[in-house]
Amino acid sequence: MMHFKVIFKTVSVLILILDIFLLLCAGVGAYYEEWAAVRSFLLSIAISGCISFGILFVFRHEKQKTLSTRDGLITVTLSWLVASTVAAFPYIFDGGMLTVTDAFFETMSGFSTTGATILTDIEKMPGSLLLWRSLTHWLGGMGIVVLGVAILPLLGIGGMQLMQAEAPGPSVDKITPRIAETAKYLWYVYVGFTALETFLLVCGGMTFFDALNHSFSTLATGGFSTKNLSVGHYDSAYIDGVITLFMVIAGMNFTLHFRLMSGNFKGIFRNTELKAYLLVFFAASAVIAFSLHGKIYGSVWESIRYASFQAASILSTTGFATTDYEYWTYLGQVTLLVLMFVGGCSGSTAGGIKVVRIATLLKQGFNEMKFLVHPRGVFILKISGYPVRKNIVYAISGFFFLYVCTLLVVTSALAASDIDLLTSFTAALATVGNIGPGFGNVGPAENYAFLPDHVKWILSFAMMAGRLELYTVFVLFTPMFWKK
Amino acid sequence: MMHFKVIFKTVSVLILILDIFLLLCAGVGAYYEEWAAVRSFLLSIAISGCISFGILFVFRHEKQKTLSTRDGLITVTLSWLVASTVAAFPYIFDGGMLTVTDAFFETMSGFSTTGATILTDIEKMPGSLLLWRSLTHWLGGMGIVVLGVAILPLLGIGGMQLMQAEAPGPSVDKITPRIAETAKYLWYVYVGFTALETFLLVCGGMTFFDALNHSFSTLATGGFSTKNLSVGHYDSAYIDGVITLFMVIAGMNFTLHFRLMSGNFKGIFRNTELKAYLLVFFAASAVIAFSLHGKIYGSVWESIRYASFQAASILSTTGFATTDYEYWTYLGQVTLLVLMFVGGCSGSTAGGIKVVRIATLLKQGFNEMKFLVHPRGVFILKISGYPVRKNIVYAISGFFFLYVCTLLVVTSALAASDIDLLTSFTAALATVGNIGPGFGNVGPAENYAFLPDHVKWILSFAMMAGRLELYTVFVLFTPMFWKK
Ligand SMILES: [K+]
Ligand SMILES: [K+]
């Protein structure tokens, strides 16, 4: 039996939280005297607020029950769906600025921290709406890091099952037994990094507004910018450097940041995922810089600057751009393509397959070879010094296969709408992996506006499914899930 | 300890078998009065024959020992390497017709049944060399079906370990306990189908020479043609139909053909792989035909003819072409791209990931979802009605990951030589999957001649590794393999 009433109550609370942030944006709109936007924000709050309070009132006698895994799974997907719907209101009510399809695509892209945009002229948008756009990233990113670990259990939804749901595999590290407290600390880390990046960007000459928006976007590994040319607009080595650093940070497991701050260095140096992540980042940056030097950029320094920025941007699945990498060498491009598959660390805001999964599968691959030579040997797979249970390796293998299948299905759906192979495939990769830009017609200098409406819905679904680790969403489509 | 002397003896016997076929081609060359080719064949036989007899003589006192798995693994890879080297002699000795690189690429492409060619004008080649070219397919295909199951054990090399080596996973079906006898029957099936196809093609108006060559190529799912336009040269619906049928047959598990002929129908209808294979073939043909009708081909009949031919050609990893599918709709193209991943059945001459692996991983994916909803449930994975052991699913997952990694590494290697992404990726897919044609500059109307030499060596390696199920070759590069 599923507890739909309690699920609805949970989602209603979520909407009310969103409404607080909408109100904030309305205030900013009033400050900038963007009255159409303010009207739109207030209308959105009024409608969504009424519905939420209505649901909470009607089900006020429903008590918190021990919810099942299934309830948890539904709640997670429903939260992303409903949040994206409510968050789309301001875009739609503001004099029909965007169509319903475009608005939903943009907010799903925001909450899933994908950063794929349908806006063709970003700088024309009212500031308060741009802030809201960056906030969908920031809230979505926080949702991914914190929600699954802490907030939802507080609302009365089973904790561990949800952690499983949001992250099948060995990703969530039980850093303290008190989940609520953990969540609070992760919050602090997230907010702290955002504040620090904002400060550093303002020091580099950015306006406070731009700095805040870009920090929201960076920490969420989102990729929405307030400028048409993305970070390339500022053409500043200092700003590139700051954002590179924070993109790399945002792609790391946030429980590690928390540990670092509480002085626990021991666990960090033996963390397989972190070591692999940094190795991939530096190796990819080096390969790209080497490949571009003398061909695209004259100086070594410039090659390193652009290479490391783009490697960090794609590996962390942020998707910011300082240049159109489609004009790079093919080696530079293919390195980015490989990074698109990898993605960031588990427990971060990054998308992609995740470094820990790749590392586990590589180790498993070596074990298979050992097994071939020594058929009677017993080989233990260790991650961060701990043996990994076979069931988890199993789940990861399954995830990897499902990931590739999803990519091929989404690619086919796009090709069926007469979109060329490279664009279709990388659009699939960029949305399922929550990256944002791909290659071809969805490259870093292009956007997703040209796609037919039904493709935008398919990609919205892909972004959500990718963000929620596929299984969480796909399981809802099995008849078995709905059986009593 | 490895038994190199016995390994060398085995490979020498293999070379002597090749020499018999070279002699046959020399005879054909004499019949066609292609004296340069005849001289080249005889020289190849003389050199390789002397070396082989030399090795056999020197090690004549070496007795058959119980060989280890490692010996088996080395023998398999070494056989393909040495055979491709020896088979390249006639191309090189014939007045320097091909460079060493091109000749090796062409023979590795032959023995691995890939069918990627560096010949820009096939029809200019002497007939006896074209026959030799088709024979490398046919012998390589037979090698894949029979060698692992039967011939090598006859030569004194451990049977079951090799079967493991050549086909990790649930592919080899122990159809009779007497392996030698099984091999003989598989031989009959292989030769029988070749003869039947040759007969049917001659009935369709092909010359006996062309019919024989195309039959060699079809049964091996190779793809070498004697015509520049491949099967499209004949522009005959009848010939297209016959070849479509035999490509589908060649992509099936040969033990099933054997069973069918011995009247055992029961096992066939419950064979998961066969059912999935036929389903994929018909579904893909339907999707492509639907997509092409009215856009590329006027009539339904024509759409079905070209769609089913190309679907069979790519799914069975043969790689024949009746048209340049790069001018098809993107949906048609992407369907072929997906088929390139899938490949044919285990125990056939086809390459690719193989249908049984995809089926197992899909079932495993569903089991994972069941497990998410019922964490305490026990779910058994069945293929063809039998439960599959976890270790095998493990090995298959590992294989899939390794396959994708290999594709990305080969793609990167090509991109590093300044080859565009689509060409790089599909060249990787077409060689690792032993298909032949890809997209972009290695499409069905193009060839591999334009690639730089070092890329040809990389792709030769990719063809061999793909043909030998990756693990077999990769394990030789681990230090652990060479440890005492
Ligand atoms: K992103
Ligand atoms: K082939």
Side-chain angles (χ1 to χ4, degrees):
Chain A
M1 222 201 80
M2 283 175 245
H3 307 85
F4 281 109
K5 291 170 186 173
V6 183
I7 293 171
F8 286 150
K9 278 179 79 175
T10 309
V11 175
S12 299
V13 171
L14 183 75
I15 295 176
L16 291 178
I17 296 172
L18 283 187
D19 281 345
I20 295 170
F21 286 94
L22 279 170
L23 199 60
L24 195 93
C25 289
V28 171
Y31 175 81
Y32 286 136
E33 302 185 12
E34 300 160 349
W35 303 116
V38 172
R39 202 184 126 268
S40 182
F41 280 121
L42 294 178
L43 193 58
S44 306
I45 295 166
I47 293 175
S48 60
C50 284
I51 296 174
S52 297
F53 278 120
I55 290 172
L56 288 176
F57 179 77
V58 170
F59 297 146
R60 68 189 177 284
H61 299 302
E62 285 298 318
K63 278 179 198 161
Q64 275 186 200
K65 287 168 186 153
T66 314
L67 296 190
S68 65
T69 312
R70 290 193 234 193
D71 296 322
L73 289 166
I74 294 180
T75 310
V76 171
T77 304
L78 203 64
S79 299
W80 251 262
L81 267 179
V82 171
S84 299
T85 308
V86 170
F89 288 175
Y91 295 116
I92 301 166
F93 296 153
D94 189 2
M97 182 162 251
L98 299 182
T99 65
V100 172
T101 302
D102 281 359
F104 186 83
F105 181 93
E106 196 75 6
T107 48
M108 184 53 93
S109 177
F111 279 118
S112 65
T113 79
T114 304
T117 185
I118 46 77
L119 296 178
T120 46
D121 187 358
I122 297 166
E123 291 164 36
K124 183 183 79 175
M125 296 276 288
S128 54
L129 268 177
L130 283 182
L131 180 66
W132 177 237
R133 188 163 164 265
S134 308
L135 267 173
T136 55
H137 268 345
W138 198 65
L139 296 171
M142 189 164 358
I144 281 302
V145 175
V146 180
L147 204 102
V149 190
I151 301 288
L152 283 183
L154 269 186
L155 296 172
I157 299 169
M160 298 315 282
Q161 304 104 302
L162 268 180
M163 286 169 55
Q164 272 187 327
E166 286 226 331
S171 56
V172 181
D173 210 324
K174 297 176 211 165
I175 48 171
T176 89
R178 276 165 296 170
I179 288 175
E181 199 148 330
T182 306
K184 212 166 64 188
Y185 286 117
L186 291 179
W187 244 99
Y188 290 159
V189 172
Y190 197 72
V191 174
F193 275 129
T194 308
L196 184 60
E197 189 187 345
T198 307
F199 172 74
L200 290 173
L201 289 178
V202 168
C203 293
M206 258 197 202
T207 65
F208 175 72
F209 178 80
D210 282 359
L212 188 67
N213 277 289
H214 281 90
S215 299
F216 282 160
S217 210
T218 310
L219 263 295
T221 67
F224 280 157
S225 172
T226 51
K227 301 294 175 189
N228 287 331
L229 289 178
S230 188
V231 179
H233 174 91
Y234 301 98
D235 197 17
S236 149
Y238 171 82
I239 286 176
D240 287 3
V242 169
I243 293 182
T244 301
L245 176 69
F246 279 88
M247 288 193 294
V248 172
I249 286 174
M252 291 177 187
N253 191 323
F254 274 77
T255 60
L256 290 182
H257 294 312
F258 170 71
R259 274 197 197 154
L260 195 69
M261 283 166 200
S262 33
N264 176 359
F265 298 93
K266 212 174 142 193
I268 290 162
F269 293 114
R270 50 187 282 184
N271 188 282
T272 304
E273 186 174 29
L274 182 67
K275 284 186 285 186
Y277 173 72
L278 292 175
L279 181 73
V280 171
F281 168 64
F282 286 115
S285 302
V287 169
I288 297 173
F290 178 79
S291 165
L292 300 184
H293 178 57
K295 283 176 188 153
I296 310 289
Y297 303 110
S299 77
V300 175
W301 162 241
E302 239 190 339
S303 305
I304 293 174
R305 171 182 157 193
Y306 285 97
S308 61
F309 184 92
Q310 211 57 57
S313 174
I314 297 295
L315 179 63
S316 71
T317 72
T318 307
F320 278 144
T322 47
T323 181
D324 185 353
Y325 54 69
E326 293 201 83
Y327 290 101
W328 281 4
T329 60
Y330 288 122
L331 179 59
Q333 292 185 36
V334 88
T335 308
L336 294 182
L337 188 76
V338 172
L339 295 185
M340 285 184 182
F341 278 91
V342 179
C345 299
S346 61
S348 75
T349 56
I353 291 171
K354 309 275 186 318
V355 176
V356 72
R357 289 206 181 93
I358 304 280
T360 307
L361 290 172
L362 274 178
K363 290 195 171 200
Q364 171 62 14
F366 279 110
N367 273 3
E368 285 294 328
M369 286 191 213
K370 284 186 199 162
F371 193 71
L372 208 59
V373 179
H374 305 289
R376 276 183 219 111
V378 174
F379 307 101
I380 292 162
L381 200 164
K382 283 187 180 179
I383 292 287
S384 305
Y386 296 104
V388 179
R389 274 184 303 122
K390 282 233 162 186
N391 271 354
I392 291 177
V393 182
Y394 235 32
I396 293 176
S397 309
F399 178 84
F400 181 74
F401 179 69
L402 200 64
Y403 200 89
V404 175
C405 285
T406 308
L407 289 181
L408 291 180
V409 169
V410 175
T411 304
S412 304
L414 266 66
S417 304
D418 222 25
I419 296 160
D420 71 277
L421 294 192
L422 189 67
T423 303
S424 294
F425 182 69
T426 58
L429 198 57
T431 50
V432 175
N434 303 123
I435 299 157
F439 288 91
N441 293 324
V442 293
E446 277 88 14
N447 57 60
Y448 286 72
F450 75 98
L451 293 167
D453 273 6
H454 72 275
V455 169
K456 286 176 185 160
W457 287 104
I458 292 169
L459 292 182
S460 299
F461 180 81
M463 291 190 273
M464 182 177 73
R467 180 71 287 184
L468 302 176
E469 308 286 352
L470 304 182
Y471 278 121
T472 319
V473 175
F474 291 167
V475 75
L476 304 183
F477 291 88
T478 60
M480 169 257 312
F481 184 86
W482 302 98
K483 252 187 234 157
K484 283 215 169 166
Chain B
M1 219 201 82
M2 282 175 246
H3 307 84
F4 282 109
K5 292 171 186 173
V6 184
I7 294 171
F8 286 150
K9 279 179 79 175
T10 309
V11 175
S12 299
V13 171
L14 183 74
I15 296 176
L16 292 178
I17 295 172
L18 282 186
D19 282 345
I20 296 171
F21 286 94
L22 280 169
L23 199 60
L24 195 93
C25 289
V28 171
Y31 175 80
Y32 285 136
E33 302 186 12
E34 298 160 350
W35 303 116
V38 171
R39 202 184 125 270
S40 182
F41 280 121
L42 294 178
L43 195 58
S44 308
I45 295 166
I47 294 174
S48 60
C50 284
I51 296 173
S52 298
F53 277 121
I55 290 173
L56 289 176
F57 179 78
V58 171
F59 298 145
R60 67 189 177 283
H61 299 303
E62 286 298 316
K63 279 179 200 162
Q64 275 186 202
K65 286 168 187 155
T66 314
L67 296 190
S68 66
T69 312
R70 290 193 235 193
D71 296 321
L73 289 165
I74 294 180
T75 310
V76 171
T77 303
L78 203 64
S79 300
W80 251 261
L81 268 179
V82 171
S84 298
T85 308
V86 170
F89 289 175
Y91 295 116
I92 301 165
F93 296 154
D94 189 2
M97 182 162 251
L98 300 182
T99 65
V100 172
T101 302
D102 281 359
F104 186 83
F105 181 91
E106 197 75 5
T107 49
M108 185 53 93
S109 177
F111 279 120
S112 66
T113 79
T114 304
T117 184
I118 47 75
L119 296 179
T120 46
D121 187 358
I122 296 165
E123 292 165 35
K124 184 182 79 175
M125 295 277 287
S128 53
L129 268 176
L130 284 182
L131 180 66
W132 177 236
R133 190 163 164 265
S134 308
L135 267 172
T136 55
H137 269 345
W138 199 65
L139 296 171
M142 189 163 359
I144 281 302
V145 175
V146 180
L147 205 103
V149 190
I151 301 287
L152 282 182
L154 268 187
L155 294 173
I157 299 169
M160 299 313 285
Q161 304 103 303
L162 267 181
M163 286 168 54
Q164 272 186 327
E166 286 227 330
S171 57
V172 181
D173 211 325
K174 297 175 208 163
I175 47 170
T176 89
R178 277 165 296 169
I179 288 175
E181 198 149 328
T182 306
K184 212 166 64 187
Y185 287 116
L186 291 179
W187 244 100
Y188 291 159
V189 172
Y190 197 71
V191 174
F193 274 129
T194 309
L196 184 61
E197 189 188 345
T198 307
F199 173 73
L200 290 172
L201 289 178
V202 168
C203 291
M206 259 197 202
T207 66
F208 175 74
F209 178 81
D210 281 0
L212 188 66
N213 277 289
H214 281 90
S215 299
F216 283 159
S217 211
T218 311
L219 264 295
T221 67
F224 281 157
S225 172
T226 51
K227 300 295 176 189
N228 287 332
L229 290 177
S230 188
V231 179
H233 174 91
Y234 302 98
D235 198 15
S236 149
Y238 170 82
I239 286 176
D240 287 4
V242 169
I243 293 182
T244 301
L245 176 69
F246 279 88
M247 288 192 295
V248 172
I249 286 174
M252 292 177 187
N253 191 323
F254 274 76
T255 61
L256 290 182
H257 293 313
F258 170 69
R259 274 196 198 154
L260 196 68
M261 283 167 201
S262 33
N264 177 358
F265 297 94
K266 213 173 140 193
I268 291 162
F269 294 114
R270 50 187 280 184
N271 188 280
T272 304
E273 187 174 30
L274 182 67
K275 285 186 285 187
Y277 174 71
L278 293 175
L279 181 72
V280 171
F281 168 64
F282 286 115
S285 302
V287 168
I288 297 172
F290 177 80
S291 165
L292 300 183
H293 178 55
K295 284 177 188 153
I296 309 290
Y297 302 110
S299 77
V300 175
W301 162 240
E302 239 190 341
S303 306
I304 292 174
R305 171 183 156 191
Y306 285 98
S308 61
F309 183 93
Q310 212 56 58
S313 174
I314 298 295
L315 179 63
S316 72
T317 71
T318 307
F320 278 143
T322 46
T323 181
D324 185 354
Y325 53 70
E326 293 200 85
Y327 291 101
W328 281 3
T329 59
Y330 288 123
L331 179 59
Q333 291 185 37
V334 89
T335 308
L336 293 181
L337 188 76
V338 172
L339 294 185
M340 285 183 182
F341 278 91
V342 179
C345 299
S346 61
S348 75
T349 56
I353 292 171
K354 309 274 186 320
V355 176
V356 72
R357 290 206 180 93
I358 304 280
T360 307
L361 290 173
L362 274 177
K363 290 195 170 201
Q364 171 62 14
F366 280 108
N367 273 3
E368 284 294 329
M369 287 190 209
K370 284 185 197 164
F371 193 71
L372 209 58
V373 180
H374 305 289
R376 275 183 221 112
V378 174
F379 307 100
I380 293 163
L381 199 163
K382 283 186 180 180
I383 292 286
S384 305
Y386 296 104
V388 179
R389 273 184 303 120
K390 282 233 163 187
N391 271 353
I392 292 177
V393 182
Y394 236 30
I396 292 177
S397 309
F399 178 85
F400 181 74
F401 178 70
L402 199 64
Y403 200 90
V404 175
C405 285
T406 309
L407 289 180
L408 291 179
V409 170
V410 175
T411 304
S412 304
L414 266 66
S417 304
D418 222 25
I419 296 162
D420 71 277
L421 293 194
L422 189 66
T423 303
S424 295
F425 182 69
T426 60
L429 198 57
T431 50
V432 175
N434 302 124
I435 299 158
F439 287 92
N441 293 325
V442 292
E446 277 88 14
N447 58 60
Y448 285 73
F450 75 98
L451 294 167
D453 273 7
H454 72 277
V455 169
K456 285 176 186 161
W457 286 104
I458 292 169
L459 292 182
S460 298
F461 180 80
M463 292 191 271
M464 182 176 73
R467 180 71 287 183
L468 301 177
E469 309 286 352
L470 305 181
Y471 279 121
T472 320
V473 176
F474 291 167
V475 75
L476 304 183
F477 291 88
T478 59
M480 169 255 312
F481 183 87
W482 301 99
K483 251 185 234 156
K484 283 215 171 169

